[in-house]
Amino acid sequence: MSIIIHEGLRAYIDPLTEHEYAALERSILTEGCRDALVLWGEVLIDGHNRYAICQRHNIPFKTIQNDHFNDLEDVQLWMIDNHLARRSVSDFQRGMLALRKKEIISMRIKAQDENGTSGNEETDIAVPVVKPTQSRQDIARVAGISSNAVLQIEKIQRAAAPELVQAVRDGTISISAAAAVATLPSNEQAAAVAGGRKELQQAAKQVREKIREQKAPAKTSKLPDSQDAENPSDTNNGAMDQVSESVILQQRIKALEAENAALIEKITQLNAALSAATATN
């Protein structure tokens, strides 16, 4: 049987670590390839590591077909759900996969809205209705992690240097610490990664301390003299924190803009559906 390796699909899911790959290889050498490889036609869509190990050691394997896909995006969505169902996937990988799923679905909805159709008119194949996974809570539910972790992963995805992203994947640094280090310039991130775990932890600590220092109490308007004399502590009780450093504020603004865009897309979709229903009636 001819098996085609699609490089885009193979690179779509994060590779195993050296330890994980070695453990899988030992298992296959001892017990054989117990799980069948999954093919879409001749394209391998699940079992790339097992296939490589079996080829290297001339170990027989089984294959099964999954032909329920219309295009490559269907395959990618299936791969994401397939990996999210596995317990061995880290929280960071889960968050990244859920964000990729959001991106694919958002692009599909946008394309459907632009085309004004929900099906393939040439082949009469119904395109499944897809719901936008836009809110941070939705993404967290898909990934099986907290919404705060999703926020931190979004920060890493947006601003982290490649070296820092790899450090999170390897487990050298936690998601929360990496989100803090990601606010530094790329060259400082790379230098922290090169310094190892302790250097990364120290960099994250310094960033957090800097943010806390910049959250100084804001000045409040003075009370009348008589009230000041009677309640000298009121000024302290009514004090408010100043705005955090500009990078944190910008990230919040971007998050709100993204949520606003998501609401606009939902409203557009609902209006399109209502117009279609009215035209039918």
Side-chain angles (χ1 to χ4, degrees):
M1 172 181 291
S2 175
I3 293 181
I4 298 173
I5 304 298
H6 189 291
E7 293 300 329
L9 292 180
R10 181 164 65 176
Y12 196 72
I13 302 297
D14 289 340
L16 297 178
T17 64
E18 290 184 10
H19 175 75
E20 291 169 337
Y21 190 91
L24 177 61
E25 188 169 28
R26 286 195 301 270
S27 174
I28 292 177
L29 289 173
T30 303
E31 304 175 11
C33 188
R34 295 178 300 176
D35 298 323
L37 310 183
V38 184
L39 303 176
W40 176 41
E42 295 182 339
V43 178
L44 182 62
I45 61 175
D46 183 57
H48 290 84
N49 293 303
R50 282 173 280 145
Y51 178 67
I53 293 170
C54 289
Q55 288 289 93
R56 182 182 304 117
H57 299 286
N58 293 319
I59 297 174
F61 56 86
K62 296 179 181 179
T63 64
I64 57 175
Q65 280 287 335
N66 190 336
D67 55 0
H68 299 129
F69 307 122
N70 291 323
D71 52 36
L72 204 60
E73 285 185 351
D74 284 346
V75 176
Q76 291 172 335
L77 289 172
W78 178 86
M79 290 176 68
I80 289 172
D81 290 338
N82 191 40
H83 279 72
L84 286 174
R86 295 175 177 173
R87 292 179 293 179
S88 60
V89 180
S90 69
D91 286 352
F92 179 70
Q93 290 173 319
R94 289 181 177 280
M96 291 293 288
L97 288 170
L99 288 171
R100 288 175 184 173
K101 183 173 184 178
K102 168 192 172 181
E103 182 180 355
I104 293 173
I105 292 178
S106 298
M107 290 176 62
R108 280 193 166 187
I109 292 174
K110 182 178 179 180
Q112 289 178 4
D113 290 342
E114 291 176 351
N115 295 332
T117 60
S118 60
N120 189 318
E121 297 179 357
E122 294 182 1
T123 61
D124 294 328
I125 299 176
V127 177
V129 176
V130 289
K131 297 180 180 180
T133 308
Q134 294 284 3
S135 74
R136 192 166 290 119
Q137 291 75 16
D138 287 340
I139 298 170
R141 281 193 293 270
V142 169
I145 58 179
S146 69
S147 57
N148 187 50
V150 173
L151 173 61
Q152 293 168 344
I153 292 171
E154 286 176 326
K155 292 178 181 178
I156 295 169
Q157 186 183 49
R158 183 167 54 247
E163 296 89 345
L164 181 59
V165 173
Q166 189 58 50
V168 186
R169 287 174 175 165
D170 294 341
T172 306
I173 185 173
S174 67
I175 294 173
S176 60
V181 176
T183 62
L184 297 172
S186 296
N187 61 327
E188 294 184 23
Q189 295 180 40
V193 173
R197 185 186 298 271
K198 289 185 178 180
E199 185 69 22
L200 282 167
Q201 292 174 344
Q202 182 63 25
K205 181 180 179 181
Q206 290 174 351
V207 170
R208 289 164 176 162
E209 288 176 350
K210 183 178 179 181
I211 292 174
R212 282 195 294 268
E213 289 173 0
Q214 293 182 0
K215 289 182 179 179
K219 294 181 180 179
T220 57
S221 57
K222 291 185 177 180
L223 294 171
D225 291 343
S226 60
Q227 294 185 22
D228 266 342
E230 294 174 3
N231 301 299
S233 64
D234 283 353
T235 301
N236 292 332
N237 292 335
M240 298 178 64
D241 289 342
Q242 290 181 336
V243 178
S244 302
E245 64 177 340
S246 61
V247 64
I248 302 298
L249 180 59
Q250 290 172 1
Q251 290 170 347
R252 290 179 179 174
I253 291 173
K254 288 181 180 180
L256 289 173
E257 289 175 344
E259 292 179 4
N260 185 49
L263 289 174
I264 293 174
E265 286 189 10
K266 289 182 180 180
I267 292 172
T268 302
Q269 187 177 10
L270 288 173
N271 287 338
L274 181 61
S275 299
T278 303
T280 303
N281 294 334

mmCIF file with all atom_site columns, all heavy atoms in Angstrom, residues 161 184-192:
data_model
loop_
_atom_site.group_PDB
_atom_site.id
_atom_site.type_symbol
_atom_site.label_atom_id
_atom_site.label_alt_id
_atom_site.label_comp_id
_atom_site.label_asym_id
_atom_site.label_entity_id
_atom_site.label_seq_id
_atom_site.pdbx_PDB_ins_code
_atom_site.Cartn_x
_atom_site.Cartn_y
_atom_site.Cartn_z
_atom_site.occupancy
_atom_site.B_iso_or_equiv
_atom_site.pdbx_formal_charge
_atom_site.auth_seq_id
_atom_site.auth_comp_id
_atom_site.auth_asym_id
_atom_site.auth_atom_id
_atom_site.pdbx_PDB_model_num
ATOM 1  N N   . ALA A 1 161 ? 9.043  34.807 21.861 1.00 0.00 ? 161 ALA A N   1
ATOM 2  C CA  . ALA A 1 161 ? 10.075 34.421 20.905 1.00 0.00 ? 161 ALA A CA  1
ATOM 3  C C   . ALA A 1 161 ? 10.016 32.905 20.693 1.00 0.00 ? 161 ALA A C   1
ATOM 4  O O   . ALA A 1 161 ? 9.556  32.176 21.577 1.00 0.00 ? 161 ALA A O   1
ATOM 5  C CB  . ALA A 1 161 ? 11.456 34.821 21.435 1.00 0.00 ? 161 ALA A CB  1
ATOM 6  N N   . LEU A 1 184 ? 8.823  40.788 27.618 1.00 0.00 ? 184 LEU A N   1
ATOM 7  C CA  . LEU A 1 184 ? 10.171 41.324 27.421 1.00 0.00 ? 184 LEU A CA  1
ATOM 8  C C   . LEU A 1 184 ? 10.514 41.358 25.930 1.00 0.00 ? 184 LEU A C   1
ATOM 9  O O   . LEU A 1 184 ? 9.902  40.655 25.127 1.00 0.00 ? 184 LEU A O   1
ATOM 10 C CB  . LEU A 1 184 ? 11.196 40.457 28.159 1.00 0.00 ? 184 LEU A CB  1
ATOM 11 C CG  . LEU A 1 184 ? 11.066 40.378 29.687 1.00 0.00 ? 184 LEU A CG  1
ATOM 12 C CD1 . LEU A 1 184 ? 12.027 39.324 30.229 1.00 0.00 ? 184 LEU A CD1 1
ATOM 13 C CD2 . LEU A 1 184 ? 11.337 41.737 30.319 1.00 0.00 ? 184 LEU A CD2 1
ATOM 14 N N   . PRO A 1 185 ? 11.507 42.151 25.529 1.00 0.00 ? 185 PRO A N   1
ATOM 15 C CA  . PRO A 1 185 ? 11.978 42.119 24.136 1.00 0.00 ? 185 PRO A CA  1
ATOM 16 C C   . PRO A 1 185 ? 12.456 40.721 23.752 1.00 0.00 ? 185 PRO A C   1
ATOM 17 O O   . PRO A 1 185 ? 12.909 39.951 24.612 1.00 0.00 ? 185 PRO A O   1
ATOM 18 C CB  . PRO A 1 185 ? 13.143 43.126 24.137 1.00 0.00 ? 185 PRO A CB  1
ATOM 19 C CG  . PRO A 1 185 ? 12.854 44.040 25.283 1.00 0.00 ? 185 PRO A CG  1
ATOM 20 C CD  . PRO A 1 185 ? 12.198 43.193 26.334 1.00 0.00 ? 185 PRO A CD  1
ATOM 21 N N   . SER A 1 186 ? 12.379 40.387 22.482 1.00 0.00 ? 186 SER A N   1
ATOM 22 C CA  . SER A 1 186 ? 12.702 39.038 22.010 1.00 0.00 ? 186 SER A CA  1
ATOM 23 C C   . SER A 1 186 ? 14.114 38.608 22.382 1.00 0.00 ? 186 SER A C   1
ATOM 24 O O   . SER A 1 186 ? 14.348 37.454 22.750 1.00 0.00 ? 186 SER A O   1
ATOM 25 C CB  . SER A 1 186 ? 12.519 38.955 20.489 1.00 0.00 ? 186 SER A CB  1
ATOM 26 O OG  . SER A 1 186 ? 11.174 39.165 20.132 1.00 0.00 ? 186 SER A OG  1
ATOM 27 N N   . ASN A 1 187 ? 15.073 39.550 22.308 1.00 0.00 ? 187 ASN A N   1
ATOM 28 C CA  . ASN A 1 187 ? 16.450 39.172 22.620 1.00 0.00 ? 187 ASN A CA  1
ATOM 29 C C   . ASN A 1 187 ? 16.624 38.838 24.098 1.00 0.00 ? 187 ASN A C   1
ATOM 30 O O   . ASN A 1 187 ? 17.389 37.944 24.466 1.00 0.00 ? 187 ASN A O   1
ATOM 31 C CB  . ASN A 1 187 ? 17.417 40.285 22.209 1.00 0.00 ? 187 ASN A CB  1
ATOM 32 C CG  . ASN A 1 187 ? 17.152 41.599 22.946 1.00 0.00 ? 187 ASN A CG  1
ATOM 33 O OD1 . ASN A 1 187 ? 16.009 41.913 23.263 1.00 0.00 ? 187 ASN A OD1 1
ATOM 34 N ND2 . ASN A 1 187 ? 18.186 42.362 23.195 1.00 0.00 ? 187 ASN A ND2 1
ATOM 35 N N   . GLU A 1 188 ? 15.871 39.515 24.968 1.00 0.00 ? 188 GLU A N   1
ATOM 36 C CA  . GLU A 1 188 ? 15.931 39.211 26.400 1.00 0.00 ? 188 GLU A CA  1
ATOM 37 C C   . GLU A 1 188 ? 15.244 37.876 26.696 1.00 0.00 ? 188 GLU A C   1
ATOM 38 O O   . GLU A 1 188 ? 15.674 37.135 27.587 1.00 0.00 ? 188 GLU A O   1
ATOM 39 C CB  . GLU A 1 188 ? 15.295 40.336 27.206 1.00 0.00 ? 188 GLU A CB  1
ATOM 40 C CG  . GLU A 1 188 ? 16.055 41.649 27.130 1.00 0.00 ? 188 GLU A CG  1
ATOM 41 C CD  . GLU A 1 188 ? 15.460 42.723 28.021 1.00 0.00 ? 188 GLU A CD  1
ATOM 42 O OE1 . GLU A 1 188 ? 14.764 42.362 28.995 1.00 0.00 ? 188 GLU A OE1 1
ATOM 43 O OE2 . GLU A 1 188 ? 15.681 43.919 27.749 1.00 0.00 ? 188 GLU A OE2 1
ATOM 44 N N   . GLN A 1 189 ? 14.179 37.566 25.952 1.00 0.00 ? 189 GLN A N   1
ATOM 45 C CA  . GLN A 1 189 ? 13.518 36.268 26.110 1.00 0.00 ? 189 GLN A CA  1
ATOM 46 C C   . GLN A 1 189 ? 14.483 35.145 25.745 1.00 0.00 ? 189 GLN A C   1
ATOM 47 O O   . GLN A 1 189 ? 14.615 34.153 26.481 1.00 0.00 ? 189 GLN A O   1
ATOM 48 C CB  . GLN A 1 189 ? 12.274 36.189 25.216 1.00 0.00 ? 189 GLN A CB  1
ATOM 49 C CG  . GLN A 1 189 ? 11.159 37.143 25.559 1.00 0.00 ? 189 GLN A CG  1
ATOM 50 C CD  . GLN A 1 189 ? 9.981  36.987 24.625 1.00 0.00 ? 189 GLN A CD  1
ATOM 51 O OE1 . GLN A 1 189 ? 9.612  35.862 24.241 1.00 0.00 ? 189 GLN A OE1 1
ATOM 52 N NE2 . GLN A 1 189 ? 9.370  38.093 24.236 1.00 0.00 ? 189 GLN A NE2 1
ATOM 53 N N   . ALA A 1 190 ? 15.154 35.302 24.600 1.00 0.00 ? 190 ALA A N   1
ATOM 54 C CA  . ALA A 1 190 ? 16.086 34.274 24.139 1.00 0.00 ? 190 ALA A CA  1
ATOM 55 C C   . ALA A 1 190 ? 17.235 34.105 25.126 1.00 0.00 ? 190 ALA A C   1
ATOM 56 O O   . ALA A 1 190 ? 17.674 32.977 25.393 1.00 0.00 ? 190 ALA A O   1
ATOM 57 C CB  . ALA A 1 190 ? 16.626 34.634 22.750 1.00 0.00 ? 190 ALA A CB  1
ATOM 58 N N   . ALA A 1 191 ? 17.714 35.201 25.689 1.00 0.00 ? 191 ALA A N   1
ATOM 59 C CA  . ALA A 1 191 ? 18.811 35.123 26.658 1.00 0.00 ? 191 ALA A CA  1
ATOM 60 C C   . ALA A 1 191 ? 18.367 34.395 27.925 1.00 0.00 ? 191 ALA A C   1
ATOM 61 O O   . ALA A 1 191 ? 19.124 33.595 28.500 1.00 0.00 ? 191 ALA A O   1
ATOM 62 C CB  . ALA A 1 191 ? 19.297 36.527 27.000 1.00 0.00 ? 191 ALA A CB  1
ATOM 63 N N   . ALA A 1 192 ? 17.132 34.639 28.351 1.00 0.00 ? 192 ALA A N   1
ATOM 64 C CA  . ALA A 1 192 ? 16.609 33.965 29.545 1.00 0.00 ? 192 ALA A CA  1
ATOM 65 C C   . ALA A 1 192 ? 16.488 32.466 29.298 1.00 0.00 ? 192 ALA A C   1
ATOM 66 O O   . ALA A 1 192 ? 16.819 31.647 30.168 1.00 0.00 ? 192 ALA A O   1
ATOM 67 C CB  . ALA A 1 192 ? 15.264 34.558 29.930 1.00 0.00 ? 192 ALA A CB  1
#
